[in-house]
Amino acid sequence: MFDLDQIPAESDTASDLEEVVMGLIINSGQARSLAYTALKKAKEGDLAAAHQLMAQSREALNAAHLVQTQLIEGDQGEGKIPVTLVLVHAQDHLMTSMLARELISELIELHEKLQSK
């Protein structure tokens, strides 16, 4: 996962902001990937592995959300952080990962019910 301790206190340069934004992309992508792997495990009948992968997915998503929160706090609603295409892409990545994770969680629950019959 992206190391949050490496985020500069203030991102004055474009490269610093880009590094922070990459934290969103990396962590949200990892969360989505782990969730899809969990779904595959659930389909195979390995529900324990599915739940473990979903827990890891939650950790990655929490890390991405923390980066997002830090960006929002740094901006303070005053436009301090420039909105770039890569920042918009990162936000899109985060939101689709959150949605995918929620839907996959529901699908895993359905697999559990089907396997218990």
Coordinates of all heavy atoms in Angstrom, one line a residue, residues 4-92:
L4 N 1.5 6.5 3.8 CA 0.9 7.8 4.1 C 2.0 8.7 4.8 O 1.9 9.9 4.8 CB -0.3 7.6 4.9 CG -1.5 7.1 4.2 CD1 -2.6 6.8 5.2 CD2 -2.0 8.0 3.1
D5 N 3.0 8.0 5.4 CA 4.0 8.8 6.1 C 4.9 9.6 5.1 O 5.6 10.5 5.5 CB 4.9 7.9 7.0 CG 4.1 7.3 8.1 OD1 3.1 8.0 8.6 OD2 4.4 6.2 8.5
Q6 N 4.8 9.2 3.9 CA 5.6 9.8 2.9 C 4.9 11.0 2.2 O 5.5 11.7 1.4 CB 6.0 8.8 1.7 CG 6.8 7.6 2.2 CD 8.1 8.1 2.9 OE1 8.8 8.9 2.4 NE2 8.4 7.5 4.0
I7 N 3.7 11.3 2.6 CA 3.0 12.5 2.1 C 3.6 13.7 2.7 O 3.6 13.9 3.9 CB 1.5 12.4 2.3 CG1 0.9 11.2 1.6 CG2 0.8 13.7 1.9 CD1 -0.5 10.9 1.9
P8 N 4.0 14.7 1.9 CA 4.5 15.9 2.4 C 3.4 16.7 3.2 O 2.2 16.6 2.9 CB 4.9 16.7 1.2 CG 4.7 15.9 0.0 CD 4.0 14.7 0.4
A9 N 3.8 17.4 4.2 CA 2.9 18.2 5.0 C 2.1 19.2 4.2 O 0.9 19.4 4.3 CB 3.6 18.9 6.2
E10 N 2.8 19.9 3.3 CA 2.2 20.8 2.3 C 2.7 20.5 1.0 O 3.9 20.4 0.7 CB 2.5 22.2 2.7 CG 1.9 22.6 4.0 CD 1.9 24.1 4.2 OE1 2.1 24.9 3.2 OE2 1.8 24.5 5.4
S11 N 1.8 20.3 0.0 CA 2.2 19.9 -1.3 C 2.3 21.2 -2.1 O 1.3 21.7 -2.7 CB 1.2 19.0 -1.9 OG 1.2 17.8 -1.2
D12 N 3.4 21.8 -2.2 CA 3.6 23.1 -2.9 C 3.9 22.9 -4.4 O 3.6 23.7 -5.2 CB 4.7 24.0 -2.3 CG 4.3 24.5 -0.9 OD1 3.1 24.6 -0.7 OD2 5.2 24.7 -0.1
T13 N 4.5 21.7 -4.7 CA 4.9 21.5 -6.1 C 3.9 20.5 -6.8 O 3.3 19.7 -6.1 CB 6.3 21.0 -6.2 OG1 6.4 19.7 -5.6 CG2 7.3 21.9 -5.5
A14 N 3.9 20.6 -8.1 CA 3.0 19.7 -8.8 C 3.5 18.2 -8.6 O 2.6 17.3 -8.5 CB 3.1 20.0 -10.3
S15 N 4.8 18.0 -8.5 CA 5.2 16.6 -8.3 C 4.8 16.0 -6.9 O 4.5 14.8 -6.8 CB 6.7 16.5 -8.5 OG 7.4 17.2 -7.5
D16 N 4.8 16.9 -5.9 CA 4.3 16.4 -4.6 C 2.8 16.1 -4.7 O 2.4 15.0 -4.1 CB 4.5 17.5 -3.5 CG 5.9 17.7 -3.2 OD1 6.8 16.8 -3.4 OD2 6.2 18.8 -2.6
L17 N 2.0 16.9 -5.3 CA 0.6 16.6 -5.5 C 0.4 15.4 -6.3 O -0.4 14.5 -5.9 CB -0.1 17.8 -6.1 CG -1.6 17.6 -6.3 CD1 -2.3 17.3 -5.0 CD2 -2.2 18.8 -7.0
E18 N 1.2 15.2 -7.3 CA 1.1 14.0 -8.1 C 1.4 12.8 -7.3 O 0.7 11.7 -7.5 CB 2.0 14.1 -9.3 CG 1.8 13.0 -10.4 CD 2.7 13.3 -11.6 OE1 2.6 14.3 -12.2 OE2 3.5 12.4 -11.8
E19 N 2.3 12.8 -6.4 CA 2.7 11.7 -5.6 C 1.5 11.3 -4.7 O 1.1 10.2 -4.5 CB 3.9 11.9 -4.8 CG 4.4 10.8 -4.0 CD 5.6 11.0 -3.2 OE1 6.5 11.9 -3.6 OE2 5.8 10.4 -2.1
V20 N 0.9 12.3 -4.1 CA -0.3 12.1 -3.2 C -1.4 11.5 -4.0 O -2.1 10.6 -3.6 CB -0.7 13.5 -2.5 CG1 -2.0 13.3 -1.8 CG2 0.4 14.0 -1.6
V21 N -1.7 12.1 -5.2 CA -2.8 11.6 -6.0 C -2.5 10.1 -6.4 O -3.4 9.3 -6.4 CB -3.0 12.5 -7.2 CG1 -3.9 11.9 -8.3 CG2 -3.5 13.9 -6.8
M22 N -1.3 9.8 -6.6 CA -0.9 8.4 -7.0 C -1.3 7.5 -5.8 O -1.7 6.3 -6.0 CB 0.5 8.2 -7.3 CG 0.9 8.8 -8.7 SD -0.2 8.2 -10.0 CE 0.3 6.5 -10.1
G23 N -1.2 8.0 -4.6 CA -1.7 7.2 -3.4 C -3.1 6.8 -3.5 O -3.5 5.7 -3.1
L24 N -3.9 7.7 -4.0 CA -5.3 7.4 -4.2 C -5.5 6.3 -5.2 O -6.3 5.4 -5.0 CB -6.1 8.7 -4.7 CG -6.6 9.7 -3.6 CD1 -7.2 10.9 -4.3 CD2 -7.7 9.0 -2.8
I25 N -4.8 6.5 -6.3 CA -5.0 5.5 -7.4 C -4.4 4.2 -7.0 O -5.1 3.1 -7.2 CB -4.2 6.1 -8.7 CG1 -4.9 7.3 -9.2 CG2 -4.2 5.0 -9.8 CD1 -4.2 8.0 -10.3
I26 N -3.3 4.1 -6.4 CA -2.7 2.8 -6.0 C -3.5 2.1 -5.0 O -3.8 0.9 -5.2 CB -1.2 3.1 -5.5 CG1 -0.3 3.5 -6.6 CG2 -0.7 1.8 -4.8 CD1 1.0 4.0 -6.2
N27 N -3.9 2.8 -3.9 CA -4.7 2.1 -2.9 C -6.1 1.8 -3.3 O -6.6 0.7 -3.0 CB -4.7 3.0 -1.6 CG -3.4 3.0 -0.9 OD1 -2.8 2.0 -0.7 ND2 -3.0 4.2 -0.4
S28 N -6.7 2.6 -4.1 CA -8.1 2.2 -4.6 C -8.0 1.1 -5.6 O -8.9 0.2 -5.6 CB -8.8 3.5 -5.1 OG -8.2 4.1 -6.2
G29 N -7.0 1.1 -6.4 CA -6.8 0.0 -7.4 C -6.6 -1.3 -6.7 O -7.1 -2.3 -7.1
Q30 N -5.8 -1.2 -5.6 CA -5.5 -2.4 -4.9 C -6.8 -2.9 -4.2 O -7.0 -4.2 -4.1 CB -4.4 -2.2 -3.8 CG -4.0 -3.4 -3.1 CD -2.8 -3.2 -2.1 OE1 -2.5 -2.0 -1.8 NE2 -2.2 -4.2 -1.7
A31 N -7.5 -2.0 -3.6 CA -8.8 -2.4 -3.0 C -9.7 -3.1 -4.0 O -10.3 -4.2 -3.6 CB -9.5 -1.2 -2.4
R32 N -9.8 -2.6 -5.2 CA -10.7 -3.2 -6.2 C -10.2 -4.6 -6.6 O -11.0 -5.5 -6.7 CB -10.9 -2.3 -7.4 CG -11.9 -2.8 -8.4 CD -12.2 -1.8 -9.5 NE -11.0 -1.3 -10.1 CZ -10.6 0.0 -10.1 NH1 -11.3 0.9 -9.5 NH2 -9.5 0.3 -10.8
S33 N -8.9 -4.7 -6.8 CA -8.3 -5.9 -7.2 C -8.5 -7.0 -6.2 O -8.8 -8.1 -6.5 CB -6.8 -5.7 -7.5 OG -6.2 -6.9 -7.8
L34 N -8.3 -6.7 -4.9 CA -8.5 -7.6 -3.8 C -9.9 -8.1 -3.7 O -10.2 -9.2 -3.5 CB -8.0 -7.0 -2.5 CG -6.5 -6.9 -2.3 CD1 -6.2 -5.9 -1.2 CD2 -5.9 -8.3 -2.1
A35 N -10.9 -7.1 -3.9 CA -12.3 -7.5 -3.9 C -12.7 -8.4 -5.0 O -13.4 -9.4 -4.8 CB -13.1 -6.2 -4.0
Y36 N -12.2 -8.2 -6.2 CA -12.5 -9.1 -7.3 C -11.8 -10.5 -7.1 O -12.4 -11.5 -7.4 CB -12.0 -8.5 -8.7 CG -13.1 -7.6 -9.2 CD1 -12.9 -6.2 -9.2 CD2 -14.3 -8.1 -9.8 CE1 -13.9 -5.4 -9.8 CE2 -15.2 -7.3 -10.3 CZ -15.0 -5.9 -10.3 OH -16.0 -5.1 -10.8
T37 N -10.7 -10.5 -6.5 CA -10.0 -11.8 -6.1 C -10.9 -12.5 -5.1 O -11.0 -13.7 -5.1 CB -8.6 -11.6 -5.6 OG1 -7.9 -10.9 -6.6 CG2 -7.9 -12.9 -5.3
A38 N -11.4 -11.8 -4.1 CA -12.3 -12.3 -3.1 C -13.5 -12.9 -3.8 O -14.0 -14.0 -3.4 CB -12.7 -11.3 -2.1
L39 N -14.1 -12.3 -4.7 CA -15.3 -12.8 -5.4 C -14.9 -14.1 -6.1 O -15.7 -15.1 -6.1 CB -15.8 -11.8 -6.4 CG -17.0 -12.2 -7.3 CD1 -18.2 -12.6 -6.4 CD2 -17.4 -11.1 -8.2
K40 N -13.8 -14.2 -6.7 CA -13.3 -15.4 -7.4 C -13.2 -16.5 -6.4 O -13.6 -17.7 -6.7 CB -12.0 -15.2 -8.1 CG -11.5 -16.4 -8.8 CD -10.1 -16.1 -9.5 CE -9.6 -17.3 -10.2 NZ -8.3 -17.2 -10.8
K41 N -12.7 -16.2 -5.2 CA -12.5 -17.3 -4.2 C -13.9 -17.7 -3.7 O -14.1 -18.9 -3.5 CB -11.7 -16.7 -3.0 CG -10.2 -16.6 -3.3 CD -9.6 -17.9 -3.6 CE -8.1 -17.8 -3.8 NZ -7.5 -19.1 -4.1
A42 N -14.8 -16.8 -3.6 CA -16.2 -17.2 -3.1 C -16.8 -18.1 -4.2 O -17.5 -19.1 -3.8 CB -17.0 -15.9 -2.9
K43 N -16.6 -17.8 -5.5 CA -17.2 -18.6 -6.5 C -16.6 -20.0 -6.5 O -17.3 -21.0 -6.8 CB -16.9 -18.0 -7.9 CG -17.7 -16.8 -8.3 CD -17.1 -16.3 -9.6 CE -18.0 -15.4 -10.3 NZ -17.4 -14.9 -11.6
E44 N -15.3 -20.1 -6.0 CA -14.7 -21.4 -5.9 C -15.1 -22.1 -4.6 O -14.6 -23.3 -4.4 CB -13.1 -21.2 -6.0 CG -12.6 -20.7 -7.3 CD -11.2 -20.3 -7.2 OE1 -10.6 -20.3 -6.1 OE2 -10.6 -19.9 -8.3
G45 N -15.8 -21.5 -3.8 CA -16.2 -22.1 -2.5 C -15.3 -21.8 -1.3 O -15.6 -22.3 -0.2
D46 N -14.3 -21.0 -1.5 CA -13.4 -20.7 -0.4 C -13.8 -19.4 0.2 O -13.2 -18.4 0.0 CB -11.9 -20.6 -1.0 CG -10.9 -20.6 0.1 OD1 -11.3 -20.4 1.3 OD2 -9.7 -20.7 -0.2
L47 N -14.8 -19.5 1.1 CA -15.4 -18.3 1.7 C -14.4 -17.7 2.7 O -14.4 -16.5 2.9 CB -16.7 -18.6 2.3 CG -17.8 -19.0 1.3 CD1 -19.1 -19.5 2.0 CD2 -18.1 -17.8 0.4
A48 N -13.6 -18.5 3.4 CA -12.7 -18.0 4.4 C -11.7 -17.1 3.7 O -11.4 -15.9 4.2 CB -12.0 -19.1 5.1
A49 N -11.2 -17.5 2.6 CA -10.2 -16.7 1.8 C -10.9 -15.4 1.3 O -10.3 -14.3 1.3 CB -9.6 -17.5 0.6
A50 N -12.2 -15.6 0.8 CA -12.9 -14.4 0.3 C -13.0 -13.4 1.4 O -12.8 -12.2 1.1 CB -14.3 -14.9 -0.2
H51 N -13.4 -13.8 2.6 CA -13.5 -12.8 3.7 C -12.2 -12.2 4.1 O -12.1 -11.0 4.4 CB -14.2 -13.5 4.9 CG -15.6 -13.7 4.7 ND1 -16.6 -12.7 4.6 CD2 -16.3 -14.9 4.6 CE1 -17.8 -13.3 4.4 NE2 -17.6 -14.6 4.4
Q52 N -11.1 -12.9 4.0 CA -9.8 -12.4 4.4 C -9.4 -11.4 3.3 O -8.9 -10.3 3.6 CB -8.8 -13.5 4.4 CG -7.4 -13.1 4.8 CD -6.4 -14.2 4.8 OE1 -6.6 -15.3 4.3 NE2 -5.3 -14.0 5.5
L53 N -9.6 -11.7 2.0 CA -9.3 -10.7 1.0 C -10.2 -9.5 1.0 O -9.7 -8.4 0.8 CB -9.5 -11.4 -0.4 CG -8.4 -12.4 -0.7 CD1 -8.9 -13.4 -1.8 CD2 -7.1 -11.7 -1.1
M54 N -11.4 -9.6 1.4 CA -12.3 -8.5 1.6 C -11.8 -7.6 2.7 O -11.9 -6.3 2.7 CB -13.7 -8.9 1.8 CG -14.4 -9.4 0.5 SD -14.4 -8.2 -0.9 CE -15.8 -7.1 -0.3
A55 N -11.3 -8.2 3.8 CA -10.7 -7.4 4.9 C -9.5 -6.6 4.4 O -9.3 -5.4 4.8 CB -10.4 -8.3 6.1
Q56 N -8.7 -7.3 3.6 CA -7.5 -6.6 3.0 C -7.9 -5.4 2.1 O -7.3 -4.4 2.1 CB -6.6 -7.6 2.3 CG -5.9 -8.6 3.2 CD -5.2 -9.6 2.4 OE1 -5.0 -9.5 1.2 NE2 -4.8 -10.7 3.1
S57 N -9.0 -5.7 1.4 CA -9.5 -4.7 0.5 C -10.0 -3.5 1.3 O -9.8 -2.3 0.9 CB -10.7 -5.3 -0.3 OG -11.4 -4.3 -1.1
R58 N -10.7 -3.7 2.4 CA -11.2 -2.7 3.2 C -10.0 -1.8 3.7 O -10.1 -0.6 3.8 CB -11.9 -3.2 4.4 CG -12.3 -2.3 5.6 CD -13.0 -1.0 5.2 NE -14.3 -1.2 4.6 CZ -14.9 -0.3 3.9 NH1 -14.4 0.9 3.7 NH2 -16.1 -0.6 3.4
E59 N -8.9 -2.5 4.1 CA -7.7 -1.7 4.6 C -7.1 -0.8 3.5 O -6.8 0.4 3.7 CB -6.6 -2.7 5.0 CG -6.9 -3.4 6.3 CD -5.8 -4.4 6.7 OE1 -4.7 -4.3 6.2 OE2 -6.1 -5.4 7.4
A60 N -7.0 -1.3 2.3 CA -6.6 -0.5 1.1 C -7.5 0.6 0.8 O -7.1 1.8 0.6 CB -6.4 -1.4 -0.1
L61 N -8.8 0.4 0.9 CA -9.8 1.4 0.7 C -9.7 2.5 1.8 O -9.8 3.7 1.5 CB -11.2 0.8 0.6 CG -12.2 1.7 -0.1 CD1 -11.9 2.1 -1.5 CD2 -13.6 1.0 0.0
N62 N -9.5 2.1 3.0 CA -9.4 3.0 4.1 C -8.2 3.9 3.9 O -8.2 5.1 4.2 CB -9.3 2.3 5.4 CG -10.6 1.8 5.9 OD1 -11.7 2.1 5.4 ND2 -10.6 0.9 6.9
A63 N -7.1 3.3 3.4 CA -5.8 4.1 3.1 C -6.1 5.1 2.0 O -5.7 6.3 2.2 CB -4.7 3.2 2.8
A64 N -6.8 4.7 1.0 CA -7.1 5.6 -0.1 C -8.0 6.8 0.4 O -7.9 7.9 0.1 CB -7.8 4.9 -1.2
H65 N -9.0 6.4 1.3 CA -9.9 7.4 1.8 C -9.2 8.4 2.7 O -9.5 9.6 2.7 CB -11.1 6.7 2.6 CG -12.2 7.6 2.9 ND1 -12.3 8.1 4.1 CD2 -13.2 8.1 2.1 CE1 -13.4 8.9 4.2 NE2 -13.9 8.9 2.9
L66 N -8.2 7.9 3.4 CA -7.4 8.8 4.3 C -6.6 9.8 3.4 O -6.6 11.0 3.8 CB -6.4 8.0 5.1 CG -5.6 8.8 6.1 CD1 -6.4 9.6 7.0 CD2 -4.7 7.8 6.9
V67 N -6.1 9.4 2.3 CA -5.4 10.3 1.4 C -6.4 11.3 0.9 O -6.1 12.5 0.9 CB -4.8 9.5 0.2 CG1 -4.2 10.5 -0.8 CG2 -3.6 8.6 0.7
Q68 N -7.6 10.9 0.5 CA -8.6 11.8 0.0 C -9.0 12.8 1.1 O -9.1 14.0 0.8 CB -9.9 11.0 -0.4 CG -11.0 11.9 -0.9 CD -12.3 11.2 -1.0 OE1 -12.7 10.4 -0.1 NE2 -13.0 11.4 -2.1
T69 N -9.1 12.3 2.3 CA -9.5 13.2 3.4 C -8.4 14.3 3.7 O -8.7 15.5 3.9 CB -9.7 12.4 4.7 OG1 -10.8 11.5 4.5 CG2 -10.0 13.3 5.9
Q70 N -7.1 13.9 3.6 CA -6.0 14.8 3.7 C -6.0 15.9 2.6 O -5.7 17.0 2.9 CB -4.7 14.1 3.7 CG -4.5 13.2 5.0 CD -3.3 12.4 5.0 OE1 -2.8 12.0 3.9 NE2 -2.8 12.0 6.1
L71 N -6.4 15.5 1.4 CA -6.5 16.4 0.3 C -7.6 17.4 0.6 O -7.4 18.6 0.4 CB -6.7 15.7 -1.0 CG -5.5 15.0 -1.6 CD1 -6.0 14.1 -2.8 CD2 -4.5 16.0 -2.1
I72 N -8.7 16.9 1.0 CA -9.8 17.8 1.3 C -9.5 18.8 2.4 O -9.8 20.0 2.4 CB -11.1 17.0 1.6 CG1 -11.6 16.2 0.4 CG2 -12.2 17.9 2.2 CD1 -12.6 15.2 0.6
E73 N -8.9 18.3 3.5 CA -8.5 19.1 4.6 C -7.5 20.2 4.2 O -7.5 21.3 4.6 CB -7.9 18.3 5.7 CG -9.0 17.5 6.5 CD -8.4 16.5 7.5 OE1 -7.1 16.4 7.6 OE2 -9.1 15.9 8.3
G74 N -6.5 19.8 3.3 CA -5.5 20.7 2.8 C -6.1 21.8 2.0 O -5.6 22.9 1.9
D75 N -7.2 21.5 1.3 CA -7.8 22.4 0.4 C -8.7 23.4 1.2 O -8.8 24.6 0.8 CB -8.7 21.7 -0.7 CG -9.2 22.7 -1.7 OD1 -8.4 23.3 -2.5 OD2 -10.5 22.8 -1.8
Q76 N -9.3 22.9 2.2 CA -10.2 23.7 3.1 C -11.3 24.5 2.3 O -11.7 25.5 2.7 CB -9.4 24.7 3.9 CG -8.4 24.1 4.8 CD -7.5 25.1 5.5 OE1 -7.4 26.2 5.1 NE2 -6.9 24.6 6.6
G77 N -11.7 23.9 1.2 CA -12.8 24.5 0.4 C -12.4 25.8 -0.2 O -13.3 26.6 -0.7
E78 N -11.1 26.1 -0.3 CA -10.7 27.4 -0.8 C -9.9 27.3 -2.2 O -9.4 28.3 -2.6 CB -9.8 28.1 0.2 CG -10.5 28.4 1.5 CD -9.6 29.0 2.5 OE1 -8.4 29.2 2.2 OE2 -10.0 29.1 3.7
G79 N -9.9 26.1 -2.8 CA -9.3 26.0 -4.1 C -7.7 26.0 -4.0 O -7.1 26.3 -4.9
K80 N -7.2 25.6 -2.8 CA -5.8 25.6 -2.6 C -5.1 24.5 -3.4 O -3.9 24.6 -3.8 CB -5.4 25.4 -1.1 CG -5.8 26.6 -0.3 CD -5.5 26.3 1.2 CE -5.9 27.5 2.1 NZ -5.7 27.2 3.5
I81 N -5.8 23.4 -3.6 CA -5.2 22.3 -4.4 C -5.8 22.4 -5.8 O -7.0 22.4 -6.0 CB -5.6 21.0 -3.7 CG1 -5.0 20.9 -2.3 CG2 -5.2 19.8 -4.6 CD1 -5.0 19.6 -1.6
P82 N -4.8 22.4 -6.8 CA -5.3 22.5 -8.2 C -6.0 21.2 -8.6 O -5.5 20.1 -8.3 CB -4.0 22.7 -8.9 CG -2.9 22.2 -8.0 CD -3.4 22.4 -6.6
V83 N -7.1 21.4 -9.3 CA -7.8 20.3 -9.8 C -7.3 19.9 -11.2 O -7.5 20.7 -12.1 CB -9.4 20.6 -9.9 CG1 -10.1 19.4 -10.5 CG2 -9.9 20.9 -8.5
T84 N -6.5 18.8 -11.2 CA -5.9 18.4 -12.5 C -6.7 17.2 -13.0 O -7.5 16.5 -12.3 CB -4.5 18.0 -12.2 OG1 -4.4 16.9 -11.3 CG2 -3.7 19.1 -11.6
L85 N -6.4 16.8 -14.2 CA -7.0 15.6 -14.8 C -6.7 14.4 -14.0 O -7.5 13.5 -13.8 CB -6.6 15.5 -16.3 CG -7.3 14.4 -17.0 CD1 -8.8 14.5 -17.0 CD2 -6.8 14.4 -18.5
V86 N -5.4 14.3 -13.5 CA -5.0 13.1 -12.8 C -5.7 13.1 -11.4 O -6.1 12.0 -10.9 CB -3.5 13.0 -12.7 CG1 -2.9 14.0 -11.6 CG2 -3.0 11.6 -12.3
L87 N -6.0 14.2 -10.8 CA -6.8 14.2 -9.6 C -8.2 13.8 -9.8 O -8.7 13.0 -9.0 CB -6.7 15.6 -8.9 CG -7.5 15.8 -7.6 CD1 -7.1 14.8 -6.6 CD2 -7.4 17.2 -7.2
V88 N -8.8 14.2 -10.9 CA -10.2 13.8 -11.2 C -10.1 12.3 -11.5 O -11.0 11.5 -11.0 CB -10.7 14.5 -12.4 CG1 -12.0 14.0 -12.9 CG2 -10.9 16.0 -12.1
H89 N -9.1 11.8 -12.2 CA -9.0 10.4 -12.5 C -8.9 9.6 -11.2 O -9.5 8.5 -11.0 CB -7.8 10.1 -13.4 CG -7.5 8.7 -13.6 ND1 -8.3 7.8 -14.3 CD2 -6.4 7.9 -13.2 CE1 -7.7 6.6 -14.3 NE2 -6.6 6.6 -13.6
A90 N -8.1 10.1 -10.2 CA -7.9 9.4 -8.9 C -9.2 9.3 -8.2 O -9.5 8.3 -7.6 CB -6.8 10.1 -8.1
Q91 N -10.0 10.4 -8.2 CA -11.3 10.4 -7.5 C -12.2 9.4 -8.2 O -13.0 8.7 -7.5 CB -11.9 11.8 -7.6 CG -11.3 12.8 -6.6 CD -11.5 12.4 -5.2 OE1 -10.6 12.2 -4.4 NE2 -12.7 12.3 -4.8
D92 N -12.2 9.3 -9.5 CA -13.0 8.4 -10.2 C -12.6 7.0 -9.8 O -13.5 6.1 -9.6 CB -12.9 8.6 -11.7 CG -13.8 7.7 -12.5 OD1 -15.0 7.6 -12.2 OD2 -13.3 7.1 -13.5

